[in-house]
């Protein structure tokens, strides 16, 4: 996948997708599989914001039992199954444990009924999943003794047992988004990051949208990209793109103005002695639950050698890039977690970074924000709502629904282009790297090819690249020095070179935060960042000044206590790590 914005010149595409998060990436893939010509542009890097580093859960819909929303349960389960089929290297089942107390809605009896009902509603959850390690088991309920044996630190007062269900976990969300972009590119889509839409191209007098004006932020070159349908898939930026900053026009708007929640969590550099995610009681209630079990659950989720802790929600009405998380909030959240699990004794210094992003949470009506967690994605045909043909706007709810919403948008595009055809089987077609049957066998292949690689590096390669791992190892076989990991990491030097040459990585942040594991869980250390930056500089011809600026920019994204070799006067809670689901 090479970046060349001149490839947009002189062409008229069937579809132009603006926005390279998970929804834009899935729409580009859907359209390409339909045989349409596709252009995908993203003003930053692919999946740089909400899609980049969220809570890493592929939701199967169990939470919607409380809402009595069978449709959402079915949708979520089907989409989780699709991810497990088409991206088996990046998505896998993870058990979640919910302790039960007493004999009411929080008790074993209620949870037994809930799990049986959920399993019945998701009876087809493992259809077409060949690898047993990627299948979602049925839920089960533990006795009090079994629960304490599994998690000895549980509060024993009133404990009656625990419920266990499985959901999906993503190994590396940015690479999952990228895999959809790569899959679309393999089917002929032209994609470019760091290309910013500046305005819509309109026909006169009808006003039909026939393309976009854009700026290549790297070269400074202005582009006119022509297309028969433009899809605004910019998520929280969608309404700003339509009606603000001169990019939209007076006759275009979102009639159903979306309301967003700033959802946040943090990463802890301690792997709890658990193989399961653990639910603890938070301090806020779910206002829409028909059957409330009390305050909303918080989760401590094992991920690699770290623990993810969250999620906290708050209404946010400003510009998407302006939210932040304050030191006071982090400390308050730590106190809340420690109250929920007194034996945890979590310390501020264990927080390696925080992640946050904007999640569609409802709609603004008559000046008031109505929050209803888990609302459906918004898909707007502006021909219907504004009388302006050629434009579709998409605001997605959850990462999990990206493929399904893309299928809906694909059907709408096909009708507009008068190209009715059978929908492509995106729920079963492997995306980039997903063409293998068993994950354990994939690891064995890699180990056999390079016996000297340590198992943690083999496992990371299998997760991040799946069936296309050979393109990384080929670089190392041509230059054995590239088969060495960066200091203190499982990231090979070959991965850095591969990201620049074949994955459109253009900055140190692209590589360290979105193409590799290097900096996604916390500060990797000065030696690792320096080595990574030096490899990129050699590939892209950076000056020493540019290299130093790239290192400083990424380093500033971590809490000061995680980077003792730099000036601790800097902001201890930087705001350039975003993304949540």
């Amino acid at each position: 996948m090479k970046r060349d914005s001149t490839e947009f010149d002189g062409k008229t595409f069937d579809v132009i997708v603006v926005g390279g998060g998970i929804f834009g990436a899935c729409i580009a893939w859907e359209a390409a599989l339909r045989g349409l010509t596709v252009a995908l542009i993203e003003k930053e890097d692919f999946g740089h914001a909400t899609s980049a580093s969220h809570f890493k859960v592929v939701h199967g819909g169990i939470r919607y039992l409380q809402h009595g929303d069978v449709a959402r349960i079915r949708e979520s389960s089907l989409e989780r199954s699709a991810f497990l089929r088409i991206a088996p290297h990046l998505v896998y089942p993870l058990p979640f444990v919910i302790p039960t107390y007493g004999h009411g809605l929080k008790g074993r009896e209620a949870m037994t009924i809930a799990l049986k009902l959920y399993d019945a509603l998701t009876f087809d959850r493992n259809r077409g999943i060949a690898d047993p390690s990627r299948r979602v088991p049925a839920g089960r309920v533990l006795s009090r003794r079994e629960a304490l044996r599994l998690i000895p630190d549980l509060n024993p007062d009133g404990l009656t047992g625990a419920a266990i269900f499985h959901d999906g976990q993503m190994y590396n969300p940015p690479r999952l988004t990228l895999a959809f972009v790569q899959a679309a590119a393999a089917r002929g889509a032209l994609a470019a990051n760091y290309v910013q839409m500046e305005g819509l191209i309109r026909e006169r007098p009808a006003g039909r949208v026939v393309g976009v004006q854009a700026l290549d932020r790297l070269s400074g070159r202005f582009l006119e990209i022509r297309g028969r349908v433009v899809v605004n898939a910019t998520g929280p930026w969608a309404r700003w793109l339509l009606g603000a900053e001169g990019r939209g026009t007076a006759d275009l708007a979102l009639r159903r103005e979306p309301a967003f929640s700033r959802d946040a969590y943090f990463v802890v550099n301690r792997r709890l002695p658990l193989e399961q995610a653990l639910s603890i009681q938070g301090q806020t209630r779910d206002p829409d639950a028909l059957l409330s079990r009390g305050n909303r659950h918080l989760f401590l989720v094992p991920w690699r050698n770290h623990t993810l802790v969250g999620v906290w929600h708050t209404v946010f009405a400003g510009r998407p890039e302006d939210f932040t998380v304050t030191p006071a909030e982090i400390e308050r959240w730590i106190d809340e977690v420690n109250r929920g699990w007194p034996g945890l004794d979590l310390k501020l210094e264990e927080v390696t970074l925080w992640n946050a992003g904007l999640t569609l949470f409802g709609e603004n009506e008559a000046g008031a924000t109505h929050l209803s967690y888990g609302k459906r994605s918004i898909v707007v045909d502006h021909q219907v709502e504004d009388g302006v043909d050629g434009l579709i706007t998409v605001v997605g709810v959850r990462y999990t629904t990206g493929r399904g919403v893309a299928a809906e948008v694909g059907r709408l595009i096909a009708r507009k282009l008068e190209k009715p055809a059978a929908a492509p089987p995106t729920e079963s077609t492997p995306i980039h790297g997903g063409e293998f049957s068993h994950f354990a066998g994939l690891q064995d292949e890699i180990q056999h090819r390079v016996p000297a690689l340590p198992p943690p590096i083999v496992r990371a390669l299998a997760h991040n690249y799946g069936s296309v791992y050979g393109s990384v190892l080929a670089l190392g076989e041509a230059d054995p020095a590239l088969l060495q990991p960066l200091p203190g990491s499982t990231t090979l030097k070959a991965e850095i070179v591969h990201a620049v040459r074949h994955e459109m990585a253009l900055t140190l942040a692209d590589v360290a935060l979105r193409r590799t594991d290097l900096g996604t869980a916390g500060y990797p250390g000065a030696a690792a960042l320096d080595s990574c930056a030096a490899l990129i500089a050699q590939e892209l011809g950076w000056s020493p000044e540019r290299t130093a600026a790239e290192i400083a920019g990424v380093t500033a994204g971590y809490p000061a206590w995680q980077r003792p070799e730099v000036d601790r006067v800097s902001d201890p809670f930087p705001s350039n790590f975003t993304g949540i689901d």
Side-chain angles (χ1 to χ4, degrees), residues 266-553:
F266 56 85
V267 184
V268 176
N269 62 359
R270 188 200 323 176
R271 177 69 180 255
L272 299 180
L274 301 173
E275 295 303 318
Q276 310 85 7
L278 176 65
S279 168
I280 61 174
Q281 205 75 32
Q283 302 299 311
T284 60
R285 287 181 174 270
D286 185 341
D288 284 342
L290 297 178
L291 296 172
S292 176
R293 301 182 66 248
N295 291 344
R296 189 189 298 276
H297 293 286
L298 296 173
F299 288 94
L300 295 99
V301 180
W303 179 68
R304 302 182 192 166
N305 292 318
H306 292 69
T307 301
L308 314 178
V309 185
V311 173
W312 288 270
H313 318 278
T314 186
V315 178
F316 181 81
R319 285 195 57 90
E321 59 270 22
D322 289 343
F323 68 82
T324 189
V325 170
T326 68
E329 285 178 306
I330 292 280
E331 292 180 344
R332 185 170 68 248
W333 296 342
I334 289 175
D335 289 342
E336 183 177 3
V337 172
N338 284 334
R339 288 197 300 273
W341 189 1
L344 184 63
D345 193 27
L346 188 63
K347 299 289 195 299
L348 182 66
E349 291 75 19
E350 295 180 276
V351 176
T352 58
L353 56 87
W354 60 263
N355 294 136
L358 299 182
T359 299
L360 181 61
F361 215 75
E363 297 178 22
N364 289 319
E365 300 175 4
T369 301
H370 298 274
L371 293 189
S372 183
Y373 200 81
K375 287 289 189 182
R376 282 169 170 73
S377 298
I378 295 173
V379 177
V380 176
D381 181 350
H382 289 276
Q383 183 179 18
V384 174
E385 294 214 358
D386 303 303
V388 178
D389 198 9
L391 179 64
I392 298 168
T393 290
V394 178
V395 184
V397 169
R398 310 196 72 76
Y399 195 115
T400 306
T401 63
R403 187 217 64 88
V405 170
E408 177 186 348
V409 175
R411 291 189 292 271
L412 177 56
I413 292 171
R415 290 197 298 271
K416 284 184 166 295
L417 296 180
E418 298 181 345
K419 290 188 176 183
T426 54
E427 76 284 354
S428 58
T429 303
I431 60 173
H432 190 74
E435 294 183 342
F436 64 93
S437 57
H438 290 76
F439 188 75
L442 182 69
Q443 292 185 90
D444 291 342
E445 279 184 32
I446 299 172
Q447 192 73 76
H448 180 73
R449 182 162 172 173
V450 188
L453 286 179
I457 292 178
V458 170
R459 185 166 55 252
L461 285 170
H463 275 302
N464 283 322
Y465 303 96
S467 56
V468 297
Y469 68 85
S471 60
V472 174
L473 294 185
L475 294 171
E477 289 162 350
D479 180 358
L482 295 180
L483 287 179
Q484 296 299 313
L486 297 177
S489 80
T490 59
T491 301
L492 295 179
K493 293 179 179 180
E495 295 181 70
I496 311 306
V497 176
H498 183 268
V500 176
R501 292 183 185 177
H502 303 296
E503 295 183 335
M504 225 178 281
L506 297 166
T507 70
L508 179 59
D510 292 347
V511 174
L513 304 180
R514 291 180 286 276
R515 301 298 187 279
T516 70
D517 294 346
L518 185 63
T520 55
Y523 181 53
L529 281 183
D530 290 350
S531 179
C532 182
L535 287 166
I536 302 172
Q538 184 175 350
E539 291 292 316
L540 296 180
W542 287 350
S543 67
E545 293 77 16
R546 169 69 184 275
T547 304
E550 292 278 342
I551 294 171

Side-chain angles (χ1 to χ4, degrees), residues 152-352:
D153 290 336
L154 288 177
N155 180 3
D157 295 339
L159 181 72
T160 55
I164 298 181
F165 69 94
H166 285 69
D167 241 330
Q169 185 175 56
M170 302 177 205
Y171 178 83
N172 191 328
R175 288 209 64 88
L176 184 53
T177 301
L178 181 68
F180 280 99
V181 176
Q182 292 170 308
R187 295 296 184 111
L190 297 181
N193 50 1
Y194 299 102
V195 173
Q196 178 170 310
M197 175 182 146
E198 293 290 300
L200 296 170
I201 302 174
R202 307 279 297 273
E203 278 184 343
R204 299 300 176 195
R208 176 186 173 88
V209 173
V210 294
V212 301
Q213 297 169 331
L215 171 67
D216 184 334
R217 296 178 57 203
L218 299 186
S219 68
R221 196 169 72 96
F222 284 93
L223 311 171
E224 275 200 358
I225 308 175
R226 296 275 173 167
R228 299 174 66 190
V229 175
V230 174
V231 180
N232 170 16
T234 56
W237 283 267
R239 68 186 181 92
W240 300 93
L241 204 68
L242 290 174
E245 300 177 344
R247 294 175 188 163
T249 55
D251 59 341
L252 286 173
L254 288 181
R255 302 291 183 260
R256 293 172 290 165
E257 184 178 335
F260 292 94
S261 165
R262 185 215 64 185
D263 289 7
Y265 75 97
F266 56 85
V267 184
V268 176
N269 62 359
R270 188 200 323 176
R271 177 69 180 255
L272 299 180
L274 301 173
E275 295 303 318
Q276 310 85 7
L278 176 65
S279 168
I280 61 174
Q281 205 75 32
Q283 302 299 311
T284 60
R285 287 181 174 270
D286 185 341
D288 284 342
L290 297 178
L291 296 172
S292 176
R293 301 182 66 248
N295 291 344
R296 189 189 298 276
H297 293 286
L298 296 173
F299 288 94
L300 295 99
V301 180
W303 179 68
R304 302 182 192 166
N305 292 318
H306 292 69
T307 301
L308 314 178
V309 185
V311 173
W312 288 270
H313 318 278
T314 186
V315 178
F316 181 81
R319 285 195 57 90
E321 59 270 22
D322 289 343
F323 68 82
T324 189
V325 170
T326 68
E329 285 178 306
I330 292 280
E331 292 180 344
R332 185 170 68 248
W333 296 342
I334 289 175
D335 289 342
E336 183 177 3
V337 172
N338 284 334
R339 288 197 300 273
W341 189 1
L344 184 63
D345 193 27
L346 188 63
K347 299 289 195 299
L348 182 66
E349 291 75 19
E350 295 180 276
V351 176
T352 58

Side-chain angles (χ1 to χ4, degrees), residues 44 50 111:
E44 301 288 343
T50 300
M111 288 304 300

Side-chain angles (χ1 to χ4, degrees), residues 67-88:
H67 301 259
D69 195 339
V70 174
R72 289 302 308 274
I73 294 170
R74 290 293 300 157
E75 176 191 31
S76 299
S77 176
L78 291 172
E79 293 307 319
R80 180 184 61 191
S81 296
F83 273 108
L84 289 165
R85 279 191 298 270
I86 68 180

